[in-house]
Amino acid sequence: DQQVKQNSPSLSVQEGRISILNCDYTNSMFDYFLWYKKYPAEGPTFLISISSIKDKNEDGRFTVFLNKSAKHLSLHIVPSQPGDSAVYFCAASKAGGSYIPTFGRGTSLIVHP
Amino acid sequence: KAGVTQTPRYLIKTRGQQVTLSCSPISGHRSVSWYQQTPGQGLQFLFEYFSETQRNKGNFPGRFSGRQFSNSRSEMNVSTLELGDSALYLCASSHSGRTANTGELFFGEGSRLTVL
């Protein structure tokens, strides 16, 4: 049973446009959410996170939005750059219980020049 | 500051064999977690060690085991290898493993295991 779902295996975007990566979760106990980026032959690297007490967190070109009622979060990249081409993993954890993050299956983003 | 180091980076084994993978965390990090990544399955949590004790365990069979040493270095072992064990095995370290406090896990580049 997948508790964190990334239903789009891939996304293709033109350079300069907005990239929107989506993530849904089923466990209402999750209260901390993270996005990781992974290039081929490298380990995932932390990108941005958001606590359940917020609905938006911004870091440069990257913004994460959280809709708790819909159990949905999204990562916006504006403007998209070719160097953003990577696999993006959504992850969720429970601060009060087992904090081990549960990862989605990832979305492969390709940004075309 | 050196990152998380995993060895070996690539290895090929045959069914029935066993394999040991090694992970050296970032200096000062006491928590080490292991994940399995296969195509289309994302990152599946194997187990987490903190101060030489297994603190959390995922839903993997007993063929998958691990340990942590006093210097926080960790090893994982897979016995009686099966074709389905072919995957990228990732190690991640953090200060305490409390993601909500630290905000992130630091991953190594992974060990790619191929089982023939």
Side-chain angles (χ1 to χ4, degrees):
Chain A
D1 177 37
Q2 259 193 294
Q3 296 190 65
V4 178
K5 300 177 184 179
Q6 294 178 257
N7 292 319
S8 297
S10 63
L11 175 67
S12 183
V13 171
Q14 204 68 32
E15 180 179 6
R17 299 290 187 103
I18 183 172
S19 295
I20 300 177
L21 294 92
N22 294 303
C23 178
D24 297 295
Y25 60 96
T26 57
N27 191 336
S28 58
M29 298 297 290
F30 287 140
D31 52 12
Y32 200 76
F33 305 89
L34 309 95
W35 286 92
Y36 285 82
K37 179 169 71 173
K38 185 181 185 299
Y39 293 117
E42 294 184 13
T45 55
F46 169 75
L47 188 59
I48 192 169
S49 63
I50 187 168
S51 163
S52 60
I53 62 173
K54 294 185 175 182
D55 55 17
K56 176 183 173 181
N57 188 27
E58 198 170 350
D59 184 2
R61 298 186 296 113
F62 302 90
T63 303
V64 56
F65 295 92
L66 176 62
N67 182 333
K68 288 188 292 293
S69 60
K71 295 191 180 67
H72 176 83
L73 64 155
S74 60
L75 174 68
H76 292 211
I77 306 174
V78 184
S80 301
Q81 300 173 353
D84 296 329
S85 298
V87 177
Y88 289 79
F89 291 99
C90 171
S93 66
K94 293 172 281 188
S98 170
Y99 56 86
I100 297 296
T102 300
F103 285 83
R105 293 183 176 179
T107 296
S108 177
L109 172 66
I110 299 172
V111 181
H112 298 281
Chain B
K1 193 174 187 181
V4 177
T5 304
Q6 291 188 245
T7 57
R9 289 292 311 280
Y10 303 91
L11 66 167
I12 300 173
K13 294 285 187 178
T14 57
R15 278 181 298 174
Q17 287 187 311
Q18 67 93 27
V19 66
T20 299
L21 309 177
S22 179
C23 172
S24 293
I26 292 172
S27 178
H29 286 190
R30 296 167 64 190
S31 169
V32 174
S33 302
W34 288 90
Y35 288 83
Q36 181 196 65
Q37 184 190 6
T38 53
Q41 291 299 316
L43 301 173
Q44 305 280 315
F45 172 70
L46 282 155
F47 27 66
E48 183 243 356
Y49 287 87
F50 180 79
S51 293
E52 302 179 65
T53 301
Q54 186 180 87
R55 191 161 63 171
N56 288 285
K57 189 177 187 303
N59 296 322
F60 277 80
R63 299 186 298 107
F64 293 81
S65 63
R67 59 177 174 168
Q68 187 180 35
F69 303 94
S70 58
N71 61 358
S72 292
R73 190 177 70 86
S74 177
E75 289 182 346
M76 68 162 282
N77 184 79
V78 188
S79 62
T80 320
L81 284 166
E82 301 176 359
L83 295 179
D85 296 333
S86 295
L88 180 67
Y89 290 88
L90 291 159
C91 168
S93 76
S94 67
H95 273 289
S96 68
R98 302 286 172 186
T99 303
N101 293 332
T102 65
E104 60 190 281
L105 298 176
F106 296 84
F107 283 88
E109 293 180 318
S111 293
R112 175 140 330 255
L113 170 64
T114 301
V115 182
L116 302 176

